[in-house]
Amino acid sequence: MTETRVRIGVFDSGVGGLSVWKALQKTLPAASFIYVADQAYCPYGNRSQAEIVRRAVTISDFLRRAAADLIVVACNTASAAALDTLRSRWPNFPFVGIEPAVKPAALHSHSGHIAVLATRSTLQAPRFHSLVNRFGRNVTLHRVVGEGLVELIERGELNGPAVRRQLQALLSPLPPTVDQVVLGCTHYPFLQPVLEEMLPDGVTIIDPAPAVARRAKQLLPEIPGPLTPTTTSPWRFLTTGPLPSFRDLLQLLLGDTLAGQAHSVERLNLE
Ligand code: DGL
């Protein structure tokens, strides 16, 4: 059946952006989605800025050719490195990026101590420095490089001993005064249950995905029509990596949402 729906392209280095996809799907239930997991290049966090920009351009070009009406860069690392390039390359096309929620964390902190958990690349990016200069001047900001976490999540490890050990090592240097923890990488919301167990009571964990979804919704009226009719499945999930493990991860991370919904899982060759 041919239907006309807004088509949203979403990408990340891997399955982390599915935490954003979930929020988008909730906020825009009538949209169709093409999700690209660039697992052949995951993790992005330790790659050079130039390489991340190159991947972001290649994937965005693919999504535009696949008739996406809007692209959500569901990756803090890629947003920090490449959003300016994407917007200047396609000035009339709507891109929504994601950045660590420093502003709400600083606003809501009682102690004046906030922590941002993100990849090395995000924390070193000029975009992050500018964010901190604008919104984090009145607080003490503790930067935590989430070493090893993306790799664990990409293996489907969300709460086992390896995850707990790694989180313990990363979080134990934080002073007990920290009362806001910003999830500055889209993979980390999948660790939220275990983080809630491990962090002291009274610590707020901030995931910016709902705010990104609201921003995408705001931009819809600006999309130049007419929308391209679609005959394919309304939800497509593509990976540049191996298909069987991607299928398993989709089940693990989106299982309930996918049950009974038409969707396709495909391999994408994108060099
Ligand atoms: N999900 C990512 C982010 O938001 C990328 C992590 C990585 O590939 O290192 O930063």
Side-chain angles (χ1 to χ4, degrees), residues 3-271:
E3 278 182 89
T4 302
R5 315 165 172 238
V6 66
R7 189 177 296 152
I8 302 183
V10 184
F11 74 90
D12 177 43
S13 63
V15 292
L18 293 173
S19 64
V20 180
W21 182 92
K22 272 185 174 180
L24 286 164
Q25 198 279 320
K26 245 193 196 155
T27 308
L28 299 163
S32 98
F33 291 97
I34 310 178
Y35 182 94
V36 174
D38 195 16
Q39 290 180 306
Y41 286 80
C42 187
Y44 281 175
N46 302 325
R47 293 187 182 273
S48 71
Q49 301 280 303
E51 195 168 13
I52 301 167
V53 170
R54 195 169 55 76
R55 291 308 293 167
V57 169
T58 304
I59 296 167
S60 300
D61 189 43
F62 164 78
L63 287 169
R64 284 171 45 84
R65 282 187 282 114
D69 301 298
L70 172 141
I71 293 177
V72 178
V73 185
C75 174
N76 291 264
T77 308
S79 294
L83 208 50
D84 292 342
T85 306
L86 297 176
R87 287 188 173 135
S88 60
R89 190 169 175 127
W90 291 289
N92 299 318
F93 187 85
F95 285 96
V96 176
I98 187 164
E99 62 187 11
V102 170
K103 185 179 177 183
L107 264 173
H108 294 121
S109 176
H110 296 296
S111 64
H113 285 260
I114 71 171
V116 178
L117 187 57
T119 66
R120 186 177 306 283
S121 177
T122 297
L123 295 174
Q124 287 177 348
R127 225 183 149 91
F128 182 70
H129 289 284
S130 132
L131 189 68
V132 173
N133 276 336
R134 279 176 292 142
F135 303 115
R137 281 172 107 76
N138 298 328
V139 291
T140 305
L141 190 144
H142 303 268
R143 293 168 172 75
V144 182
V145 176
E147 209 72 74
L149 297 179
V150 168
E151 291 85 338
L152 284 163
I153 295 160
E154 288 288 326
R155 288 205 296 270
E157 294 189 35
L158 306 182
N159 54 21
V163 166
R164 285 170 194 269
R165 252 196 324 272
Q166 193 62 12
L167 283 175
Q168 183 61 35
L170 297 172
L171 300 174
S172 57
L174 288 176
T177 41
V178 166
D179 64 356
Q180 308 280 321
V181 172
V182 174
L183 302 183
C185 165
T186 55
H187 280 75
Y188 304 162
F190 291 114
L191 302 180
Q192 186 147 351
V194 75
L195 275 167
E196 276 167 9
E197 264 177 49
M198 294 180 69
L199 288 165
D201 286 347
V203 174
T204 303
I205 299 171
I206 309 183
D207 171 10
V212 171
R214 284 195 299 274
R215 178 71 191 134
K217 188 175 182 176
Q218 271 174 2
L219 285 185
L220 292 192
E222 289 173 35
I223 292 172
L227 304 176
T228 321
T230 177
T231 47
T232 51
S233 160
W235 297 354
R236 294 175 66 195
F237 299 95
L238 284 66
T239 181
T240 58
L243 203 48
S245 52
F246 183 54
R247 251 186 235 289
D248 292 347
L249 280 169
L250 283 170
Q251 272 315 314
L252 177 73
L253 303 173
L254 297 185
D256 292 349
T257 317
L258 294 184
Q261 289 287 339
H263 66 277
S264 65
V265 185
E266 304 158 48
R267 157 97 190 140
L268 173 67
N269 196 356
L270 209 58
E271 286 312 315

